[in-house]
């Protein structure tokens, strides 16, 4: 009971405007680890964006599989910094997050699709190659950039030709990622 109360206080401390205080609270929650997971998952729905952002980050570090679906839901958060932390957290979750993230590549929101593409690249699982190749044709440059970066991180030969085609992308960012990868091949 006392530990739960302490975890709640640490999560409430994420509301503090001082980033150093927030960072210290996140570090302490990381140390608590698994016993904090349920409360951190609940904190993903907190009204305060700093609490949601911190909870996503810590859950990504703890890497508990139960947090994958709630973190994926956070990719739809109205706050871009929460969405960014959610995609980073999913990138830390490893292979268990691959299939759910592949499904998210079809989301209606480009920010959600893009966050998934970047997270898949960070994970580096070859199951993501074909879906990321498909995402190279997304209407959003952010998604195409995430897909190109993800493919370059995975390094599968199947991605070489699509990345050559990406050298003609309208986004200079996408072109640069493709060019850097192809120089290494």
């Amino acid at each position: 009971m006392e530990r739960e109360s302490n975890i709640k206080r640490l999560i409430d401390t994420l509301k503090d405007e001082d980033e150093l205080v927030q960072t210290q609270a996140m570090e302490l929650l990381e140390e608590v680890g698994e016993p904090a997971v349920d409360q951190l998952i609940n904190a993903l729905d907190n009204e305060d964006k700093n609490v949601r952002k911190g909870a996503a980050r810590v859950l990504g570090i703890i890497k508990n599989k139960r947090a994958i679906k709630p973190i994926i839901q956070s990719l739809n958060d109205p706050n871009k910094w929460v969405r960014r932390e959610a995609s980073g957290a999913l990138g830390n979750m490893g292979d268990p997050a691959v299939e759910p993230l592949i499904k998210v590549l079809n989301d209606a929101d480009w920010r959600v699709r893009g966050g998934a593409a970047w997270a898949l690249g960070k994970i580096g699982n070859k199951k993501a190659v074909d879906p990321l190749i498909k995402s190279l044709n997304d209407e959003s440059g952010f998604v195409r950039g995430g897909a190109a970066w993800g493919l370059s991180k995975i390094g599968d030969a199947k991605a070489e030709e699509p990345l050559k085609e990406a050298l003609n992308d309208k986004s200079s960012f996408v072109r640069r990622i493709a060019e850097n990868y192809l120089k290494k091949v």
Side-chain angles (χ1 to χ4, degrees):
M1 192 68 159
E2 184 178 337
R3 178 170 42 187
E4 288 178 12
S5 177
N6 289 337
I7 292 168
K8 183 183 179 334
R9 274 198 297 271
L10 285 171
I11 290 172
D12 287 342
T13 303
L14 296 173
K15 293 177 186 175
D16 198 289
E17 292 301 315
D18 186 331
E19 286 186 34
L20 179 60
V21 172
Q22 292 173 17
T23 300
Q24 290 172 334
M26 284 185 279
E27 288 173 358
L28 290 168
L29 286 163
E30 289 169 31
E31 286 181 31
V32 172
E34 292 293 326
V37 168
D38 288 334
Q39 288 188 57
L40 286 165
I41 288 172
N42 290 336
L44 292 172
D45 292 325
N46 192 284
E47 62 190 31
D48 188 283
K49 71 180 183 318
N50 290 327
V51 172
R52 297 190 310 271
K53 184 175 73 166
R57 178 182 289 176
V58 175
L59 285 167
I61 291 166
I62 295 172
K63 301 178 185 175
N64 184 293
K65 292 176 188 175
R66 288 182 295 130
I68 293 172
K69 285 184 181 178
I71 295 172
I72 285 175
Q73 291 171 346
S74 292
L75 290 172
N76 290 306
D77 195 276
N79 183 277
K80 67 181 177 182
W81 301 111
V82 175
R83 290 190 304 269
R84 183 176 179 192
E85 284 300 334
S87 64
L90 289 165
N92 291 337
M93 296 296 229
D95 290 340
V98 171
E99 291 297 331
L101 283 167
I102 287 172
K103 290 177 185 166
V104 173
L105 288 173
N106 296 312
D107 193 273
D109 188 317
W110 63 270
R111 291 169 290 240
V112 175
R113 294 190 309 273
W118 288 91
L120 284 165
K122 188 173 179 184
I123 294 170
N125 186 303
K126 292 194 184 279
K127 287 181 184 176
V129 171
D130 288 331
L132 288 173
I133 288 172
K134 183 180 174 194
S135 292
L136 285 173
N137 296 313
D138 196 276
E139 63 192 32
S140 165
F142 178 66
V143 177
R144 293 191 313 275
W149 182 82
L151 289 167
S152 73
K153 290 296 177 190
I154 295 169
D156 191 277
K158 193 188 285 189
E160 193 171 330
E161 197 57 41
L163 285 171
K164 282 181 183 174
E165 292 174 24
L167 292 172
N168 298 314
D169 194 276
K170 59 186 169 188
S171 166
S172 63
F173 181 64
V174 174
R175 292 191 307 267
R176 208 170 36 251
I177 292 169
E179 185 179 329
N180 288 338
Y181 172 72
L182 292 168
K183 284 179 184 176
K184 291 185 226 174
V185 176

